Amino acid sequence: MNILIINGPNLNMLGRREPEIYGSETLQDIEAKCNQHAGSKEINIDFFQSNYEGVIIERLQTALDQYDGIIANMAAYTHTSIAIHDALKMYSCPIIEVHLSDPKTREDFRHISYIEPLAACVIAGQGSDGYLQAIDKIEEIINK
């Protein structure tokens, strides 16, 4: 099983960026946790981050038909990018939307997600464990 974990803008600054909201783990820490968790299940993951909307879209386009599931933490692009929504719309595999914090409990502009209508589920407010839960959820969906 192959899973793409794709991360949006500013997540490369985890550990330094608003630790009271996002915690002290870095994106590299989260990637290592995901690799360990997925590896124990014999799942391959491809972990990707970009601050640029077009680069994210190009990654999604080139990844088409290569993955059994997508875990998407689009960060701020969750609330603004119809273009990323459209790129994800091409996928027939399960998409899990992940957020370290819970956007629905934050500022009003974070309450709308352009990813959620495409997602098999949304995991929010679980910190980095949300990524591990998303790996498990994709495995569960595929094995049904």
Side-chain angles (χ1 to χ4, degrees), residues 4-8 27 31 46-50 55-56 59:
L4 173 62
I5 301 175
I6 191 159
N7 296 278
L27 192 60
E31 180 177 6
D46 210 352
F47 205 90
F48 178 82
Q49 187 275 332
S50 180
V55 172
I56 292 168
R59 181 67 182 105

Side-chain angles (χ1 to χ4, degrees), residues 11-104:
L11 292 172
N12 59 311
M13 298 306 293
L14 288 174
R16 299 185 70 190
R17 177 181 171 231
E18 298 177 282
E20 68 281 2
I21 295 173
Y22 300 109
S24 61
E25 288 180 293
T26 66
L27 192 60
Q28 292 79 14
D29 295 334
I30 294 170
E31 180 177 6
K33 281 176 72 170
C34 289
N35 276 316
Q36 181 178 13
H37 185 71
S40 71
K41 299 168 162 287
E42 298 184 14
I43 296 171
N44 300 309
I45 63 164
D46 210 352
F47 205 90
F48 178 82
Q49 187 275 332
S50 180
N51 292 319
Y52 300 99
E53 183 178 33
V55 172
I56 292 168
I57 292 164
E58 287 178 351
R59 181 67 182 105
L60 288 167
Q61 289 174 353
T62 60
L64 199 59
D65 300 323
Q66 295 180 28
Y67 294 96
D68 302 299
I70 306 288
I71 297 169
N73 183 346
M74 289 298 99
Y77 287 142
T78 300
H79 320 292
T80 63
S81 183
I82 295 167
I84 291 174
H85 167 96
D86 287 348
L88 285 167
K89 201 173 188 178
M90 292 185 287
Y91 283 86
S92 58
C93 66
I95 298 168
I96 308 296
E97 180 180 351
V98 170
H99 297 283
L100 297 167
S101 67
D102 185 352
K104 305 242 189 243

